[in-house]
Amino acid sequence: MSEENKVPIIQFRNVSKFYPPHTYAVRDVNVAINSGEFVSIVGQSGTGKTTLVRLIIAEEHPTKGRVIVGGWDITNIRHGDIPLLRRQIGVVFQDFKLLPRKTVRENVAFALQVAGAARAQVREVVPQVLAIVGLETKMDRFPHQLSGGEQQRVSIARALVHRPKILVADEPTGNLDSINTREIIDLLVKINELGTTVLLVTHNRDAVNSLKKRVITLDQGIVSSDKQVGRYVL
Amino acid sequence: MFLSLARMIKFAVQNFWRNVWLSVVTVTIIFLTLCSLTSLILINVMSDQALNTVKSTLDIALTFKPVVPQLRVEEVRDTLQGLPYLSVVTLATPEESLAAFRAKHAEDATVIGALNALTENPFGATLTLRLSSLDYYPTLMKRIDEMGLSKEAERMDTGSYERIVARLEDISGKVRTFGYAVSGFFALIAILIVFNAIRMGIYNHRDEISIMRLVGATSWFIRGPFLIEALLYTIISCTLFWALMIPFVGSFTPYLNAFLGDIGFDLRGYLMTHLGNIMGFELILILLLTCISSMIAMARYLKV
Ligand SMILES: Nc1ncnc2c1ncn2[C@@H]1O[C@H](COP(=O)(O)OP(=O)(O)OP(=O)(O)O)[C@@H](O)[C@H]1O
Ligand SMILES: [Mg+2]
């Protein structure tokens, strides 16, 4: 993390999300994440980690407080602007969300096509992002012909097609064994080193401890610790 | 823009094939809706035509009392012949009237017997009038009154004319009501079926849709394919319908003409001259129907 990159790219200002009748998914969260950072978010199940992710991509709106992404206050984002926001944030989930009847190449291309990208752009970008995740030789396989780790790499490649400034990964290694987990974490570090801000939600103690990067710990919706070089402590 | 449209169309066609049986059922139901709608339109036109035919070929018979002298009858005939709106005027003498009556009831022994029992011819002369248009009916009646004919002659067929017209109007009214009911029924089924087809499409594409939302596809891009699918159903059913309907009407018309007799309605000719209007009207109607039901399905099942 270099010194000149200290502009917050994600800001939670006093954010609470309340689900009636009596659940606070997150409560009074104040977090600023700078451009270029690699931040791990840890915490027990049901402590609001996914809720933070959903707030960043405007799938949920805060009950209180403000969410600012890339200087854009998305607290009350207009419905029609959500696609614009989503093209600036790559998202990866535990369950890959690949289309089983499309090849690797088609799965990645799909994200560009549905956003209205020109054919030439699709032809250019798809091999590039697949090279970043190291799958350039397996472009014509179907998801079921890939290992879990490879499938997750496809989904990371897809998240990168719009050249997002932010990559959010919600438990990307939850379905993977330790070797594949290692590879995915290394890949995320590599993507971070290429300049993308990475937000990693994880339960993986070893991964977090080996990263030696910033760790935000949630406890029942509240930020209980936020350390620049953190460890996985619950 | 065009690229997006092409992609949406591809998506819609894909959806159409993925549930091909549901698509077939949907197209069939829209097809049946078109059948009943077109029948309704044609039956409407035909019954109007039939009514007009009955109205315009109505003969009015003036039967004079036997005491009215032949000269007076001829005078009346000459006056009436001078009227521009009477197309045919024939005169039957009392003898001819009697002969006509005998011929008509030749089979009926009682009537003939009663007739034979009479010593004098009970019939007077009969003037048969044919109006060029039924609109002149009141004018003619007024004229007949002015000539003082009400005392000398009996006007026939008025009652029967009114009865025939009333009868026809009644029948065609019932046919129309039935037609509206059937068309409405099919339209309702079509709405439900299209709704269901779109709902299934949304369900089958739920993974694609959630990914599309995630990677920033606009909501019109996500909805577009389902509207295009509705359009597809409409276009396919209408094309299929007219491709079958036109030859069918062509081969059916001779039989219809034989059946209708002197009503003389040229179904094929009518259809050909009004094809554009009927097609356009039905296309718009079906389009409205399918688009509305797919929009309802989207509002209900496609949260974007
Ligand atoms: N749509 C919702 N309606 C009601 N409550 C919800 C909703 N979404 C989440 N919650 C609640 O909010 C809390 C936080 O949920 P969240 O999914 O953010 O947890 P998490 O930290 O991601 O958990 P996990 O590690 O199991 O994924 C939970 O108690 C959950 O039950
Ligand atoms: Mg979660």
Side-chain angles (χ1 to χ4, degrees), chain A residues 19 23 25 44-51 171 203:
Chain A
Y19 288 111
T23 312
Q44 263 157 7
S45 186
T47 53
K49 303 182 295 296
T50 298
T51 303
E171 294 183 41
H203 282 300

Side-chain angles (χ1 to χ4, degrees), chain B residues 59-64 72 76-77 79-81 83 85-86 89 127-131 136-156 158:
Chain B
D59 289 347
I60 298 155
L62 279 180
T63 307
F64 288 85
R72 166 67 179 153
V76 169
R77 181 195 61 189
T79 316
L80 290 180
Q81 223 153 19
L83 297 174
Y85 49 80
L86 281 182
V89 180
L127 256 180
T128 309
L129 314 173
R130 181 165 289 180
L131 286 169
Y136 294 109
Y137 190 79
T139 320
L140 178 67
M141 291 308 131
K142 210 171 141 226
R143 187 67 202 236
I144 286 172
D145 280 344
E146 279 165 11
M147 289 163 71
L149 282 173
S150 343
K151 289 189 203 78
E152 296 166 314
E154 229 174 291
R155 200 177 68 230
M156 292 277 289
T158 317

Side-chain angles (χ1 to χ4, degrees), chain B residues 83-303:
Chain B
L83 297 174
Y85 49 80
L86 281 182
S87 53
V88 183
V89 180
T90 56
L91 171 63
T93 59
E95 291 71 35
E96 284 163 347
S97 299
L98 178 66
F101 187 82
R102 268 186 192 282
K104 195 176 169 191
H105 295 277
E107 309 286 299
D108 196 335
T110 337
V111 174
I112 300 297
L115 209 55
N116 287 340
L118 295 172
T119 50
E120 272 177 34
N121 183 355
F123 293 95
T126 304
L127 256 180
T128 309
L129 314 173
R130 181 165 289 180
L131 286 169
S132 63
S133 157
L134 212 94
D135 299 340
Y136 294 109
Y137 190 79
T139 320
L140 178 67
M141 291 308 131
K142 210 171 141 226
R143 187 67 202 236
I144 286 172
D145 280 344
E146 279 165 11
M147 289 163 71
L149 282 173
S150 343
K151 289 189 203 78
E152 296 166 314
E154 229 174 291
R155 200 177 68 230
M156 292 277 289
D157 293 351
T158 317
S160 67
Y161 151 74
E162 275 160 2
R163 249 183 291 128
I164 290 169
V165 171
R167 191 71 202 289
L168 266 174
E169 270 168 355
D170 183 44
I171 291 171
S172 75
K174 277 179 184 149
V175 169
R176 255 172 253 212
T177 311
F178 181 70
Y180 284 125
V182 171
S183 303
F185 176 73
F186 279 123
L188 195 71
I189 301 275
I191 287 176
L192 290 176
I193 283 280
V194 171
F195 176 85
N196 201 44
I198 300 297
R199 191 182 66 118
M200 284 292 288
I202 292 170
Y203 179 78
N204 287 327
H205 281 95
R206 62 198 181 284
D207 293 339
E208 270 111 320
I209 290 168
S210 78
I211 292 167
M212 284 200 255
R213 295 174 52 208
L214 211 60
V215 299
T218 56
S219 70
W220 77 268
F221 187 91
I222 298 175
R223 283 163 187 271
F226 297 106
L227 271 182
I228 292 174
E229 199 185 336
L231 195 75
L232 217 58
Y233 290 135
T234 310
I235 290 169
I236 291 175
S237 331
C238 287
T239 310
L240 201 67
F241 177 74
W242 288 109
L244 294 174
M245 182 70 182
I246 292 170
F248 172 76
V249 166
S251 56
F252 178 69
T253 299
Y255 299 104
L256 186 75
N257 286 349
F259 173 72
L260 290 177
D262 60 349
I263 290 179
F265 176 65
D266 180 12
L267 186 65
R268 211 184 98 84
Y270 177 83
L271 200 65
M272 285 309 160
T273 45
H274 294 81
L275 198 59
N277 283 342
I278 298 178
M279 271 182 171
F281 167 74
E282 289 184 348
L283 189 69
I284 289 168
L285 204 75
I286 299 289
L287 208 56
L288 271 176
L289 206 123
T290 54
C291 285
I292 286 173
S293 64
S294 75
M295 277 187 308
I296 296 171
M298 282 192 276
R300 185 116 169 57
Y301 298 104
L302 188 61
K303 302 273 179 267

Side-chain angles (χ1 to χ4, degrees), chain A residues 74-127:
Chain A
I74 58 157
T75 311
N76 297 309
I77 188 173
R78 274 182 37 228
H79 190 76
D81 289 337
I82 291 177
L84 281 177
L85 175 72
R86 302 249 169 106
R87 287 175 204 179
Q88 294 171 33
I89 305 170
V91 200
V92 179
F93 294 99
Q94 183 171 356
D95 61 344
F96 322 140
K97 295 195 196 295
L98 299 178
L99 296 170
R101 310 224 279 187
K102 287 187 191 294
T103 64
V104 168
R105 185 205 304 272
E106 287 164 349
N107 263 288
V108 176
F110 184 73
L112 279 168
Q113 286 163 346
V114 299
R119 282 202 186 85
Q121 196 189 346
V122 175
R123 259 196 309 268
E124 187 196 320
V125 172
V126 172

